[in-house]
Amino acid sequence: VVNSSRLIRVLIAADDDCRHHKLRSWLDTKQDVSIVGRTTQASELSEAVRRLRPHVVVADAQLLDDAPPAHRERLMVRVGKRLVAVNVDDIDIIRASGVYADVAAKGRRYTVRASLRTLEAELDPERFVRVHRSVIVPIDRIEWFRRLGNGDGELQTITGQRAPVSRARRPALERKLGLK
């Protein structure tokens, strides 16, 4: 008899019935495995992991190839001695500040211990754009943008915050704004 507290909880992620049955048949031969569920959609995988709390996910590589990249929906920021969640939908602008990033959201300023490089990789590139080595802005918060004579640019957010746009990052911003 196998001790149920020592069982490895496994979630199967496979959209094809044949591959699912092969994975399940193989896992059924393992005495220390308990199959807790199956997901057939890459978009449902993170919710299934949260709900079923498996120790291991056995996934069909083809299903994972179809998975959209996960992007942060919240940033955990320090407010005094507490950590508070700030929804990325509320962000107006993010500015580098040494090893930290200053996040302006809903009229408040927060500090996050993360580099702009890290935040840029974790935020949805369809919604956010890095416009300068020290600035990330949500595309839908840009009120206006203008080119400057030296190849750089400048923008203003809908909350009135201005930010430089570097020559190197200007073409990407212009594409996202539909100017190129």
Side-chain angles (χ1 to χ4, degrees), residues 6-169:
R6 308 285 252 162
L7 291 177
I8 299 168
R9 296 171 51 83
V10 176
L11 171 65
I12 298 174
D15 59 352
D16 179 86
D17 285 335
C18 182
R19 285 190 288 273
H20 169 256
H21 290 300
K22 284 181 181 180
L23 287 169
R24 184 170 193 109
S25 296
W26 176 73
L27 289 167
D28 283 341
T29 66
K30 313 299 179 203
Q31 288 186 1
D32 56 349
V33 168
S34 170
I35 298 170
V36 295
R38 172 189 181 191
T39 183
T40 60
Q41 302 289 321
S43 60
E44 297 169 356
L45 185 55
S46 60
E47 172 60 23
V49 168
R50 186 197 63 72
R51 188 172 35 82
L52 299 171
R53 304 180 72 78
H55 297 122
V56 175
V57 175
V58 177
D60 175 24
Q62 186 171 342
L63 177 83
L64 294 180
D65 286 344
D66 296 338
H71 300 292
R72 278 191 185 215
E73 292 301 317
R74 282 185 242 132
L75 294 179
M76 295 306 292
V77 298
R78 186 162 299 284
V79 176
K81 293 185 178 189
R82 298 178 314 159
L83 287 176
V84 176
V86 173
N87 289 327
V88 298
D89 291 338
D90 298 333
I91 294 173
D92 295 314
I93 195 166
I94 304 171
R95 296 181 190 270
S97 179
V99 296
Y100 297 93
D102 290 331
V103 177
K106 286 194 166 181
R108 297 201 56 197
R109 188 174 143 233
Y110 304 97
T111 300
V112 178
R113 186 173 175 85
S115 69
L116 254 59
R117 177 178 291 161
T118 299
L119 291 174
E120 180 182 24
E122 294 175 353
L123 294 169
D124 185 349
E126 296 296 317
R127 296 168 57 194
F128 290 85
V129 61
R130 189 160 180 183
V131 296
H132 189 270
R133 64 181 167 81
S134 63
V135 181
I136 296 174
V137 294
I139 297 162
D140 67 350
R141 292 288 208 280
I142 297 172
E143 182 176 37
W144 57 257
F145 161 75
R146 69 177 172 185
R147 296 180 186 126
L148 301 177
N150 62 1
D152 291 340
E154 181 181 38
L155 64 79
Q156 180 173 300
T157 68
I158 59 174
T159 57
Q161 298 182 63
R162 289 194 177 181
V165 177
S166 70
R167 182 179 308 121
R169 297 184 184 272

